Amino acid sequence: MFSTKFTAVVLLALTAVSQAAPADFKKQNAIDAQALNAKFASLTASSSCTTGDQACVQGGFAQCTDGKFAVTQCAGGTSCFALPLVNKPGTSIACDSADDAAARFTAAGATGG
């Protein structure tokens, strides 16, 4: 009987840990996005890159073609940001308002942008 109760307690504990994991990846996503934004801050259209790379360059969305960035400016009132995904591990790069971008980092449990 002790073994059965112990197994049940262990299973409940593991379930609780697995349900807590999503918050952990959300914060890590925000930290990863912050690191990308810091990296992007020093990029220019003439920065070297590898074909297929994507980045934010001087406020615009940039894709690397033939070793240099082709920059598409964001719509008025928005800038390019690396943002944390909310449903799975990872980041995205998108044009967004500064206020919304900051709110996404705050919601993920990170400070700054």
Side-chain angles (χ1 to χ4, degrees):
M1 180 157 184
F2 174 76
S3 177
T4 303
K5 287 183 181 179
F6 179 74
T7 302
V9 169
V10 169
L11 288 174
L12 288 173
L14 290 174
T15 300
V17 168
S18 68
Q19 289 176 350
D24 294 338
F25 83 74
K26 288 180 182 180
K27 187 169 185 177
Q28 186 59 52
N29 288 353
I31 292 166
D32 293 344
Q34 288 173 322
L36 285 172
N37 287 324
K39 178 181 172 184
F40 295 161
S42 64
L43 296 178
T44 66
S46 60
S47 295
S48 64
C49 57
T50 302
T51 296
D53 285 351
Q54 296 180 341
C56 295
V57 175
Q58 298 171 323
F61 179 80
Q63 293 181 298
C64 184
T65 305
D66 297 326
K68 64 181 186 176
F69 285 110
V71 182
T72 302
Q73 291 305 313
C74 294
T78 66
S79 291
C80 186
F81 297 96
L83 299 168
L85 294 180
V86 297
N87 294 324
K88 62 182 180 178
T91 60
S92 64
I93 300 172
C95 294
D96 198 3
S97 70
D99 288 344
D100 185 63
R104 290 176 189 231
F105 285 100
T106 300
T111 57

